Amino acid sequence: MNTLKKGDAAPAFSALDQDGNKHTLVDYAGKKLVVFFYPKANTPGCTAEACDLRDHYAEFTAQNYALLGVSADSAKAQGKFRDKYSFPFPLLADEDKAVIEAFGVWGPKKFMGREFDGIHRTTFIIDEQGIIEEVISEVKTKAHAAQILI
């Protein structure tokens, strides 16, 4: 599971969003970057989390933050999720799990008594130089923006 911690350099990722646009860590140099990993688009917890971030988007941009959502959903699923809830930030379609594994958020989970491998809901706050400022693994889906905007 996740071995990345505060003070580590963020992985140099590269992935496509819901519209086929490429995003890399270097693209966000000079900005604070919130990379939030969520298990599946259009599920209740993921929707609550992403909508809370959307509702505070102006505060994020005012503080020089960019946001990127990441799951293993297809670009089509991410596009539908974005369009349904009018998210102003890109959603990366990490179907091959390259970004998910680079950040170490893939691993065993338990849900309703069964165990399986999946994405652990985790958020990384990366500073303007690409260094991890914070790792939030206890995400409050309905109040996630408040966990970031301190």
Side-chain angles (χ1 to χ4, degrees):
M1 252 308 284
N2 184 19
T3 54
L4 290 174
K5 59 193 179 310
K6 184 175 180 167
D8 287 348
F13 66 86
S14 175
L16 301 179
D17 69 15
Q18 72 284 335
D19 298 321
N21 299 316
K22 187 174 171 182
H23 295 264
T24 67
L25 180 62
V26 177
D27 297 337
Y28 295 94
K31 279 194 168 291
K32 290 183 179 188
L33 178 62
V34 175
V35 182
F36 66 101
F37 290 89
Y38 57 94
K40 191 158 179 51
N42 265 314
T43 55
C46 300
T47 300
E49 178 184 6
C51 286
D52 181 60
L53 296 174
R54 174 203 64 203
D55 294 346
H56 294 274
Y57 189 69
E59 294 164 63
F60 282 109
T61 55
Q63 293 183 36
N64 198 34
Y65 281 99
L67 282 79
L68 277 180
V70 186
S71 76
D73 291 296
S74 68
K76 185 176 180 186
Q78 297 287 46
K80 284 183 175 174
F81 188 36
R82 185 220 31 213
D83 294 347
K84 184 174 181 180
Y85 296 101
S86 304
F87 297 135
F89 41 78
L91 302 175
L92 302 185
D94 191 25
E95 290 184 275
D96 64 1
K97 300 181 187 73
V99 181
I100 291 161
E101 287 175 357
F103 278 84
V105 296
W106 182 262
K109 296 174 68 165
K110 277 191 171 160
F111 184 69
M112 294 183 151
R114 25 175 238 129
E115 200 166 299
F116 58 96
D117 282 344
I119 298 170
H120 288 258
R121 186 185 310 278
T122 311
T123 297
F124 294 84
I125 302 168
I126 302 165
D127 75 10
E128 296 87 343
Q129 287 77 43
I131 303 299
I132 296 171
E133 233 175 50
E134 196 65 57
V135 179
I136 303 171
S137 52
E138 299 293 323
V139 171
K140 295 176 182 158
T141 57
K142 291 183 172 75
H144 195 34
Q147 290 181 285
I148 300 164
L149 294 166
I150 300 164

